[in-house]
Amino acid sequence: MPSSIRSFARPLLSRPAFAEWALYGALIALAALSAWGPHVAPNPHQHAFADQRTLWGIAHAMDVLTNLPFALMGLLGVRRLAQGGCSAPAGEKGVSAGRTTTTVMAAVFFSGLLLTAGTSSLYHWMPHDITLLWDRMGMLVAFTGLLGLAVEGRMGTRPAWVVALVLPLAGWLSLRAWGMAGQMLPWGVLQGGGMLLVAALAFAPVRPGCPPLSLVAVIGWYALAKLLELGDQAVFGWTGGGVSGHSLKHVAAALAAWPVIAALAPRPSGTPGAYWAQCVRAVPWHRPADAAAGTGRGTIAASADEGAQRGAAARRI
């Protein structure tokens, strides 16, 4: 068996740790709650958003146009992956299975953001139960990638793939129950339980060789998005009809992708993954210090230092 295949298969065939068994137990408990929990009916006013304005010929324009940040973050993420965002820093060893898993999960996440930009725009342009289900499908893809990244970075490769395979099936069943029986509980359990899992993983250290994804930052942006969603009408009133809470919710939810993009930014070996340092490195026009050191005045200064050292050595002789 080739060494690359062995290195990929080794973490998948290892004995599960206690934390991994706890994860599987939590998934089973959430599935049981979804299947046998009480019936939760949809909000009869779920399509009645605060901002109903038509601008530039676009119905519900602000709720439609504020989905553009999802597309922007998705494109920035795809660009980061194309630049080798999941490659290990020099001198840092990581198993190929982990790198492959990280790349796949990140690609799923950024693809989900692009899908969400389209499906959410469609829903807000034509609010209806059917288009709302399409909106949730885009969110499901993004959520699968995010949860896979979180589990891979804190627990390991195998549980990340288990989550990435189970979540789409659970999401499809949840949306089916919503569309056919008007039962919203499974989708609420999937979304809320998933974020509780992310919150629990935020207390665990990042595994060696994995991108230093700040789950605290992700949770913070997500929590802000939910608060803005709940305060849709209130924010619209506070801003004098300028912007609604739901429109701002789209922006905050899209910014929850920035910690992922920042974590994939190149970093020198041994550099700690401080969140704000990641954000600076992730800016598209940021020029790393080590790249600037080899050009212009940095080269002259280096040559002068080398000359001074040689002169000092000659005097000692």
Side-chain angles (χ1 to χ4, degrees), residues 24-106:
Y24 300 150
L27 294 178
I28 293 173
L30 292 174
L33 177 60
S34 299
W36 293 293
H39 181 85
V40 178
N43 185 344
H45 306 293
Q46 61 183 351
H47 306 310
F49 299 103
D51 194 345
Q52 298 287 326
R53 291 174 294 176
T54 297
L55 303 174
W56 309 292
I58 304 174
H60 318 110
M62 291 300 293
D63 284 345
V64 171
L65 296 176
T66 49
N67 284 287
L68 290 175
F70 287 115
L72 175 61
M73 290 295 170
L75 291 173
L76 286 176
V78 171
R79 179 175 181 267
R80 177 66 65 198
L81 289 179
Q83 294 173 336
C86 288
S87 59
E92 197 173 291
K93 296 181 180 179
V95 295
S96 61
R99 288 295 166 188
T100 301
T101 302
T102 300
T103 302
V104 172
M105 299 304 169

Side-chain angles (χ1 to χ4, degrees), residues 5 33 43 105 107 148 165-166 175 182 209 217 237 255 279 297 299:
I5 298 179
L33 177 60
N43 185 344
M105 299 304 169
L165 294 174
V166 168
L175 294 176
L255 287 173
C279 290
R297 295 173 59 186
T299 303

Side-chain angles (χ1 to χ4, degrees), residues 221-241:
W221 284 115
Y222 179 83
L224 177 60
K226 296 303 290 184
L227 288 174
L228 289 169
E229 182 181 36
L230 293 173
D232 182 29
Q233 187 68 51
V235 173
F236 194 59
W238 293 339
T239 60

